[in-house]
Amino acid sequence: MLMMSLRVRTVCAAQTCRRRPEILEKTVMNPIFLVLASGALALSGNTIACTGKQQNARQIEKAVSGNTICANDHGELWQEQHRGGGQLWDYKKGPADKSDPSSRVGSWSIDQTPGDAKVVYNYGSTSYAWQLFRDDGGSYRLCGPNGGGRSILITIQPGLGGC
């Protein structure tokens, strides 16, 4: 079985930025090892699950609208500003930086499905829907995307600055 590690990189050309997957490494895995490893994860309490309380549509809107989500996902720094009108901007090095200024990278919206609200990001033809969880200590996690098993610790920075 062939396993691939991917990361998503923001690629900009002609004032248009898109997120594109990029293969980091390929590994041939023994299927028996994968079954054993899957069982170990299940027995260890599903280490990739989100904890805390899943946020509803109103709570998501209050948390992210007009604010910047900050995260470091496998070395990729996220500084995504959630502007009015559903505009999604990447802070990069800031609006005044001449080499890598802030720019619009897509849009954001909220899927208001009762009991399963999500924040939805659109980058051109690619969309990602993430559940937002908040634990008792006030920390937030994005879970998904699109029903996937990832859990990313995020910081919600008040306002539209950098992280």
Side-chain angles (χ1 to χ4, degrees):
M1 174 176 284
L2 180 66
M3 299 285 291
M4 289 187 269
S5 297
L6 297 175
R7 80 170 159 198
V8 178
R9 177 171 282 205
T10 303
V11 178
C12 300
Q15 297 184 1
T16 302
C17 294
R18 299 201 179 205
R19 292 200 167 198
R20 300 190 189 261
E22 177 178 278
I23 296 173
L24 294 177
E25 65 181 52
K26 295 178 185 177
T27 307
V28 177
M29 298 293 291
N30 182 331
I32 293 172
F33 171 77
L34 292 176
V35 170
L36 293 173
S38 298
L41 278 177
L43 292 173
S44 68
N46 195 4
T47 58
I48 59 174
C50 279
T51 57
K53 182 178 180 210
Q54 184 177 350
Q55 302 296 281
N56 63 35
R58 183 185 55 76
Q59 291 166 322
I60 293 171
E61 174 78 23
K62 184 178 179 185
V64 303
S65 184
N67 294 322
T68 303
I69 286 187
C70 307
N72 187 330
D73 183 35
H74 295 86
E76 180 184 346
L77 179 63
W78 295 3
Q79 299 185 96
E80 296 195 338
Q81 300 174 332
H82 294 69
R83 296 185 180 194
Q87 293 184 39
L88 186 66
W89 285 63
D90 186 348
Y91 184 79
K92 299 182 184 180
K93 293 184 179 178
D97 188 83
K98 292 188 186 328
S99 65
D100 198 12
S102 301
S103 65
R104 186 173 179 179
V105 293
S107 63
W108 70 278
S109 61
I110 297 174
D111 172 348
Q112 299 186 20
T113 302
D116 194 28
K118 297 175 185 74
V119 59
V120 180
Y121 296 100
N122 294 294
Y123 304 94
S125 62
T126 305
S127 295
Y128 301 96
W130 295 87
Q131 297 168 320
L132 182 65
F133 282 75
R134 184 174 185 186
D135 68 23
D136 292 337
S139 295
Y140 286 95
R141 287 192 173 274
L142 288 175
C143 299
N146 307 326
R150 293 179 61 208
S151 170
I152 300 172
L153 181 64
I154 65 170
T155 302
I156 299 178
Q157 194 75 13
L160 299 174
C163 299

